[in-house]
Amino acid sequence: MSKSGDFEAVAADIRKILHQPEYDDGSAGPVLVRLAWHASGTYCSETDTGGSNGAGMRYEAEGGDEANAGLQHARVFLEPIKEKHTWISYADLWTLAAVVALKEMGGPQIKWLPGRTDFVDDSKLPPRGRLPDGAQGADHIRFIFYRMGFTDQEIVALSGAHNLGRMHMDRSGFHGPWVPNGTRFNNTYYRIMTEYEWKEKILENGVKQFVYMDEDLDEELAMLPTDLALVTDESFGPWVKKYAADKDLFFDHFAKAFGKLLELGIQRDANGNITNTDNVKGGYHA
Ligand code: CCH
């Protein structure tokens, strides 16, 4: 147990659970980043619903969305930390874990503010289907990310999180890592996206993705149709090229966009205190 509000103590314990030799490529980091993204990425700016506040993914209504398959692994990694630091909300823990993991994997420092609660406001619950479908193209990506209030540049920057981790057939239906070293944050994703010749492949489950293999690789690399849609799109494409050429620019833009993602749906006063979580009627606490 730590003193209430000692986020540094929580961050230190998050660092300790990142190394998971038995899991995937040995790191919990990528799936923790995805947990924070899926918690936040349900936001709709027009209706002010969804977002990380409330940590609704703990419950079937949101957690059962097929897009969230596999994210229970991330929540299980974090459970001992929640048990030790009981005062932190799940919503803060999930978002902080991503920020800590990104930094530990060599990524940029991302601005993070606490204050989310685990109060689930039924009127803010996102309907299913708010998260992107990797089988689609540029129009779909815009439809999903514009709803959250992101620009084309921010969409391309955020997509660079696919420098991390891998796809799992039993979770999403897709298979394989995007880059050879998916536990280090880098701009490799953009570089290989433009440099390599990606071939269409239909997996045994009928799912279409794109792959690349050569003799120096231990494993075939993979791209989603949505990933490659970024290269050919008139407005996304120039940002892919810029981030491929300039890692610092990518890190800077990624840090800003990811910080914005974690704040979707959260209103704060001048001191950074959240102003829209109190006095909500009709919800429930964890
Ligand atoms: Fe993603 N992502 N993502 N993604 N994603 C998957 C895995 C990760 C899409 C589809 C998929 C973002 C945007 C998109 C991560 C971070 C981000 C998988 C494989 C699919 C499919 C899941 C599995 O099988 O385990 C699509 C489509 C889009 C946009 O159009 C954004 C934005 C972020 C974060 C900023 C990370 C990290 C992973 C790896 C997870 C792991 O378990 O290794």
Side-chain angles (χ1 to χ4, degrees):
M1 180 70 177
S2 54
K3 212 169 103 251
S4 177
D6 187 356
F7 294 101
E8 199 29 67
V10 179
D13 283 337
I14 294 168
R15 280 180 209 111
K16 286 186 204 145
I17 57 113
L18 290 179
H19 181 56
Q20 294 286 345
E22 303 297 319
Y23 178 77
D24 266 11
D25 301 299
S27 172
V31 80
L32 290 176
V33 172
R34 190 165 200 241
L35 176 67
W37 139 237
H38 277 209
S40 314
T42 55
Y43 189 65
C44 169
S45 53
E46 203 173 299
T47 55
D48 189 30
T49 54
S52 63
N53 210 14
M57 215 194 288
R58 290 168 298 153
Y59 303 103
E60 178 59 21
E62 187 177 336
D65 188 329
E66 62 178 31
N68 289 327
L71 291 178
Q72 69 276 13
H73 292 277
R75 296 197 293 277
V76 168
F77 286 135
L78 293 176
E79 199 49 35
I81 298 178
K82 171 67 179 163
E83 276 164 24
K84 183 170 168 192
H85 308 277
T86 48
W87 52 268
I88 194 171
S89 66
Y90 280 103
D92 271 352
L93 178 60
W94 295 353
T95 48
L96 178 62
V99 167
V100 171
L102 279 158
K103 183 77 187 134
E104 287 298 298
M105 292 187 287
Q109 185 71 52
I110 290 151
K111 185 175 173 198
W112 177 86
L113 287 170
R116 295 163 193 79
T117 73
D118 289 340
F119 186 83
V120 178
D121 176 358
D122 289 327
S123 70
K124 301 266 179 192
L125 274 184
R128 292 198 177 170
R130 283 241 174 124
L131 294 160
D133 170 6
Q136 304 218 31
D139 288 351
H140 171 72
I141 303 174
R142 284 202 172 86
F143 173 73
I144 296 284
F145 285 86
Y146 284 5
R147 189 203 65 225
M148 292 178 244
F150 285 112
T151 64
D152 285 0
Q153 172 261 311
E154 289 170 322
I155 293 171
V156 179
L158 282 173
S159 304
H162 287 171
N163 271 280
L164 298 170
R166 55 172 58 243
M167 302 172 240
H168 307 77
M169 233 185 213
D170 59 339
R171 300 183 192 175
S172 62
F174 297 97
H175 175 75
W178 287 269
V179 302
N181 184 5
T183 59
R184 293 303 295 167
F185 200 62
N186 214 323
N187 63 342
T188 314
Y189 167 78
Y190 304 108
R191 287 196 282 111
I192 66 176
M193 191 186 259
T194 46
E195 280 168 23
Y196 292 175
E197 208 178 295
W198 297 89
K199 287 202 165 52
E200 187 178 307
K201 180 174 178 176
I202 309 290
L203 304 178
E204 63 208 41
N205 57 9
V207 167
K208 183 178 99 174
Q209 62 180 40
F210 293 88
V211 295
Y212 175 82
M213 185 64 194
D214 74 31
E215 68 264 21
D216 298 333
L217 292 169
D218 301 333
E219 194 181 355
E220 198 171 68
L221 304 178
M223 289 274 168
L224 293 163
T226 40
D227 292 311
L228 293 189
L230 300 176
V231 186
T232 44
D233 184 83
E234 237 177 54
S235 162
F236 294 142
W239 288 108
V240 171
K241 288 203 184 75
K242 278 183 202 159
Y243 297 147
D246 189 342
K247 182 182 142 180
D248 293 342
L249 182 74
F250 164 53
F251 272 36
D252 180 43
H253 287 185
F254 179 84
K256 290 190 177 107
F258 199 78
K260 174 173 164 179
L261 175 72
L262 302 184
E263 286 290 307
L264 292 177
I266 291 165
Q267 290 153 27
R268 297 181 185 275
D269 63 20
N271 300 318
N273 296 316
I274 295 188
T275 56
N276 62 335
T277 57
D278 294 330
N279 308 318
V280 188
K281 292 196 180 73
Y284 46 94
H285 274 287

